Amino acid sequence: MVYPARRHAVKTLEKLAALLPVEDRIKPQILLLAGEVTPYRNDTDRELPFRQESNFHYLSGCSVPYSLLIIAATSASVSEPSMHTVFIPPIEPADLMWSVPPPTLEAARQMHDIDVAQTADLPKFLADALAIAPDALIHVLPTQSGKFPDLSNELITLAKAGPGAHVTDAYALEALGRARLTKDPEEIDRIRKANSISSRAHETVMRVLGQGVRGLIQQSQGAGVDRPLLPGEWLIEKEAEAEAIFVASCRREGAVHQAYLPIVAASTRAATLHYCCNDRELAWGPTKPDDHQNRATFVHGHSRGELLPQVLLIDAGCEWECYAADITRTMPVGNGGKFTPEARAIYELVHEMQRVAFESLKPDLHWDTVQLLCHRTLVRGFQKLGLFKTPESPGSGSWNSEEAILASGVSAAFFPHGLGHSLGMDVHDVPLVSKPAVNGTIPGLPLGHESFYTYLRLRLPLEENMVVTVEPGIYFHQHLLEPVRDSKHIDHEVLKRYESVGGVRIEDVVRITADSYENFTTIRSDVEWVEGVCSGAL
C-alpha cells in the first residue's frame, strides 16, 4: 500500500492556512524539512537504530536516512502543491560494504507517491522555487529546540537569500500536529496492524506464564548447562525474561521497532508509571529446608522458596511502518496464576473504569469529561471496598460523600495520570496540539479537582478518526500516598491490606468513530480470561 504523502501535504497546507495571518495566506508557501540521520554511539562509529522523524515521514513516506523534503504551493489554500519532492542520498561505494544502501532513484519512485530526486539537487530546486516566488513564506520545524533534525546552513542561507522570502518556524509544527491529530484509512491500517502484533505478544507472555504453572515447559538434561535453553524451554522468573519474550514475538512478526521502552514491572514496582528498568526477579519467598520438595515451577534448575503472589504489569507495544501500538495488561504471577482477593478487587475496579470510559466515547465529548468519569468510578469503587469512607461510616458524615471526596482530589493519589493520549506515529502523539498552551475548549472551572488534569496529555473534544489510548489505573505508591496519609476520607486500616498490590493498569487503543469507538487491541482483559490463561487453564 503506497503511503498517502500527497494527501498529507494537502491536509497540512489546509491547517497551515488556518494558522497564518490573513495577509500571509495568499503568499507562496514552501515547507522545508530534514529527515533523521543515522545515529551513532557517543565517540564511536557504531550505528544505533534508525527511525525516521515522524513529521518528515508523514509528508514523504520516506524512511531513508539523510533525506530532505521540499513542498511548494502558490498559496496556503491550494488543492495541490506545485512541488512535492523527497531527496534521497546517492549510493556511495562504502554503503555497499558497510550497510544497506539507499534505494536507486528508479526504485524510490516506485515506492512513493511523490517526486524523488537526489539530495545534491535540492539547492537548485529551492533556488528555482524562489526565483518563481521570491516573496515565499518558508516554513521549517523549530530550529533551536534540538528536537528535530537540522537543515544544513547552506539551505538556510539559500532560503533567506530570496529578496522577499521569510523563513519562519512559528507555524509548521502546529499545522503538522493538527493534520496528524486525525487519521486517514492508511494510517488506521498501520495502527491496527501494530496493535494486532502487540496484542499477540502480550498473550504470548501470559501463555508462557500459564505453561509454567501447569508444568508444561520441560527442559531436557543439560539444558542451560551443556547447551543454551531453546525458546520452548524458556521460563519467566525475571522481568527481563518477560520483556525478551514480548519483543521476540513482535520481531518474528516483522515489527522492527518498539514504540517505546517496554515497561515490565512486577509486584510493588508496578506502582511506578514509567518503570522501564525491567531488571528485577519476580518475588520469591524465603528458602526453607524442604524446598527441594517443591516442584520449582518457573525455576531454571535450582531450588528456592515459593513464588509469591504478585502482579506483573506489562506496558508495551511495537511499531508497524512508523505507527505505534500502546497496550498494558496486568496479570497474576504466583498463587497458581490467580489474583489475590485484593489484587482481583483492584483489577476489576480498573476494568470497570475502562468499561464506563468506553461507553461514553463519541465525537464532541471533551476528554476532561471522561477523565472525571473514571475518577468518579474509582471513588465509588473505593467506597464499596471500604478504602474510602462513606457518610454512613462510623463517626463520618456528609464530608465523605462521593462529591466531597471528588472535590478533595484525594483520588489523584491513587490515579495520578491521565486516562489516555493521542496515538499515531508517536506513542504520545502531537503533544503541541493535544494539550495546547492556550486552550479555549476547557471550561473556566475544572470539573472535579484540578489535580485530575495535571498529567492529562489530551485536553480536547474528541473527533471522528482520532486514535486515543484508554488506560485507567490504580496504584499504591508510597511516595504518592504520603500526602494523604492523614486524609479523613481514607480508612487507613483497610488501605494497609491493599498496598502490597502495587499497581494495576489496563490500556487499549481505540479509534473514535462517527458515534462510538473501534477497539484496535485484540487481547482480552476480563479477569476470568486473564486468570484462565495465566493459570494454564485456557
Side-chain angles (χ1 to χ4, degrees), residues 123-173:
K124 182 179 184 305
F125 273 71
L126 181 56
D128 290 345
L130 289 172
I132 297 171
D135 60 338
L137 199 58
I138 302 173
H139 301 278
V140 298
L141 294 176
T143 54
Q144 303 301 319
S145 68
K147 297 178 180 178
F148 304 101
D150 289 331
L151 289 161
S152 69
N153 290 332
E154 176 191 5
L155 287 176
I156 293 295
T157 301
L158 180 59
K160 292 179 177 179
H166 177 62
V167 178
T168 177
D169 62 4
Y171 306 105
L173 184 59

Side-chain angles (χ1 to χ4, degrees), residues 251-273:
R251 284 291 283 164
R252 69 180 298 274
E253 290 204 47
V256 176
H257 295 289
Q258 293 295 299
Y260 52 99
L261 289 175
I263 298 165
V264 185
S267 188
T268 55
R269 295 182 293 281
T272 301
L273 302 183

Side-chain angles (χ1 to χ4, degrees), residues 11 25 85 101 175 217 252 272 274 301 323 330 357 380 453:
K11 188 177 181 183
R25 294 175 190 170
T85 305
I217 299 178
R252 69 180 298 274
T272 301
H274 281 183
Y323 284 85
T330 306
R380 290 175 180 172
Y453 311 99

